[in-house]
Amino acid sequence: HSDIIMGKTALDPRAWKEWPKTGVNPLQNVQMEEWSGLRTPSGNKWKDLCVVETWIASNNTLIRHVVTGPEDPKAVDLDGQLVMAFDSKKPHSGDVEGVCRRNQQGFLDAVTQMYMSSDVQVTQPTEEKTGYRLSYGQIDVDEKNWIPFTYQGRLHFVYTPMPHVILTAQADGSSEKIYSTSFGPLRKVVQEYPHVRIRGSAQAVFVNNSQATPSLPRPHFLALLHLYDTKTQRYGHHAYRFGAEPPFLMLQMSERLPLSEAAATPGGIPFAFASGLAVHGDTVAISYGAGDRDARILVMTLQRLD
């Protein structure tokens, strides 16, 4: 089961600043509601998503992976309007054969794609807002883990951290690549560990606090990425910084972030997955899921992260 829930509350600057010291969550009383107003371009509710079927011939079993709604939301402020980026299987609105893809064996084989919705009203979750597929990328493989950020009143995405590919996007989902650069340390990871995948996480946040970031005392964007080891199926999350101006060069990467992990099933591989990033003043909050079951948050000061 998957839904996007959201809420709004007044920020207590003092409580937010003291959060890393006190451990008292200043957001604990926020009231959350399901975002039920999300609609497809044809005006239908965002439900009845295409599924993935897996046939196990040895015991004549068909496994159907069903997701009920959008996942992995990432919110950014675009000139006072909230833009929500998310990933999802494609809604079919009852027309499975006309919309959902099948593989060569004839089984349903949905892929995840990236979508966005503009001018989302957090306090009015039932207000209808259209989700549009982001046009860049491939339609026959999963597209997710894009990192949204804004620059000079325009929406951008980090499509991949390595190479560091930057896209621009419009409200209707049309998007295109504008820059592609690489970062030496990650290039070395790719060369020496070909089984490791490097992907983005959460959104990017503009930071201009030279006193709190002495190792990079100039304006920059703070973002997250994760390394996934296909051999061990383990994740490692890192913060990274990229330039505040085009071509948005990657500049620095942190040590592995200390996220608490959990197993999704008894005896399973413990993991954590970062999904959100917020910075206000000197306090950084990284939201994440542990084992697809626990919602957690890592809080530290910018100085500590630096």
Side-chain angles (χ1 to χ4, degrees), residues 241-292:
R241 292 164 170 163
F242 63 91
E245 302 290 337
F248 306 110
L249 291 168
M250 189 181 293
L251 303 172
Q252 296 176 340
M253 178 175 160
S254 76
E255 296 180 350
R256 182 171 177 171
L257 296 171
L259 304 185
S260 298
E261 299 180 325
T265 58
I269 298 173
F271 70 94
F273 193 87
S275 56
L277 172 66
V279 180
H280 183 76
D282 291 349
T283 301
V284 180
I286 299 171
S287 59
Y288 68 99
D292 276 345

Side-chain angles (χ1 to χ4, degrees), residues 35-182:
W35 183 24
S36 59
L38 180 60
R39 296 291 185 269
T40 68
S42 58
N44 297 311
K45 291 184 178 181
W46 203 277
K47 61 178 186 177
D48 300 326
L49 308 184
C50 296
V51 304
V52 177
E53 295 178 330
T54 302
W55 174 250
I56 303 177
S58 60
N59 57 9
N60 293 328
T61 300
L62 179 66
I63 298 176
R64 182 173 288 114
H65 180 221
V66 179
V67 180
T68 62
E71 300 180 288
D72 198 16
K74 303 166 185 177
V76 293
D77 185 316
L78 182 63
D79 290 339
Q81 292 189 4
L82 183 70
V83 175
M84 190 77 76
F86 59 93
D87 63 56
S88 177
K89 297 292 194 290
K90 190 174 183 179
H92 60 70
S93 303
D95 184 14
V96 175
E97 294 306 320
V99 174
C100 301
R101 68 191 301 267
R102 291 183 179 272
N103 59 23
Q104 294 181 345
Q105 289 73 42
F107 297 110
L108 291 169
D109 190 25
V111 294
T112 297
Q113 296 283 283
M114 286 294 301
Y115 297 85
M116 63 170 285
S117 183
S118 301
D119 194 24
V120 176
Q121 303 297 314
V122 174
T123 58
Q124 303 175 49
T126 61
E127 182 177 349
E128 295 186 6
K129 295 294 180 180
T130 303
Y132 294 98
R133 177 185 167 271
L134 286 152
S135 62
Y136 189 82
Q138 304 179 66
I139 61 173
D140 56 352
V141 297
D142 287 335
E143 290 284 0
K144 53 184 179 179
N145 302 317
W146 299 12
I147 304 172
F149 68 99
T150 60
Y151 172 75
Q152 293 187 346
R154 298 186 65 186
L155 179 63
H156 293 67
F157 286 90
V158 178
Y159 176 64
T160 54
M162 181 61 206
H164 203 237
V165 174
I166 305 297
L167 316 177
T168 58
Q170 307 300 320
D172 63 356
S174 58
S175 46
E176 62 178 341
K177 181 172 74 172
I178 55 173
Y179 302 109
S180 179
T181 57
S182 63

